[in-house]
Amino acid sequence: MIFDKEGTTTIVFQEDISLRQFLENLNKAYPKLKNDNIIVNLFSFSRFTAGDVLEFLELSNTHRGSGKSFVLVTNKVSFDEVPDEVCVVPTVREAKDIIEMEEIERDLDL
């Protein structure tokens, strides 16, 4: 698992691993990441479906509940195909933009 920390945001990605193993590793590493906004880059997964997004639902809800952003990045699934509780965007740049907007909203108590 690879972590790329930029300020208060950590980008997480992994190469050559199953989604199940990736999720296990992410859950193990979560205590180190829980104070950061998290971007999960899923481009290394050649097969990724809307059903796979649901595997991140619990972690997303936990993280967002603590007042931090959690964004999945994949171009294989449209944000229309997933529940509103999970934020999915097609590029890392858009994920960073979402986090910036959410931080402004939190600062303004919106």
Side-chain angles (χ1 to χ4, degrees):
M1 184 162 282
I2 301 165
F3 303 102
D4 183 14
K5 186 167 172 72
E6 299 175 8
T8 61
T9 300
T10 299
I11 301 173
V12 181
F13 56 100
Q14 181 75 44
E15 296 178 10
D16 299 324
I17 194 169
S18 70
L19 181 60
R20 176 180 287 220
Q21 187 63 48
F22 179 78
L23 282 162
E24 285 178 23
N25 292 346
L26 183 58
N27 282 313
K28 287 178 190 173
Y30 183 73
K32 298 175 194 171
L33 307 172
K34 68 181 181 181
N35 296 319
D36 290 345
N37 297 304
I38 299 174
I39 296 172
V40 181
N41 186 334
L42 300 167
F43 279 115
S44 64
F45 295 99
S46 57
R47 298 173 122 186
F48 195 79
T49 67
D52 293 332
V53 169
L54 297 178
E55 297 293 326
F56 291 90
L57 183 61
E58 183 178 337
L59 185 57
S60 175
N61 287 340
T62 298
H63 199 64
R64 288 173 159 287
S66 70
K68 296 292 182 181
S69 299
F70 187 89
V71 184
L72 301 178
V73 180
T74 181
N75 60 359
K76 293 177 178 59
V77 176
S78 167
F79 71 92
D80 294 330
E81 299 177 75
V82 298
D84 290 338
E85 295 89 5
V86 181
C87 183
V88 177
V89 295
T91 67
V92 172
R93 178 71 250 160
E94 287 180 74
K96 290 178 181 180
D97 291 345
I98 292 284
I99 288 172
E100 188 175 324
M101 287 188 295
E102 288 180 349
E103 284 185 332
I104 291 169
E105 289 173 356
R106 285 190 288 268
D107 287 345
L108 297 173
D109 290 324
L110 297 177

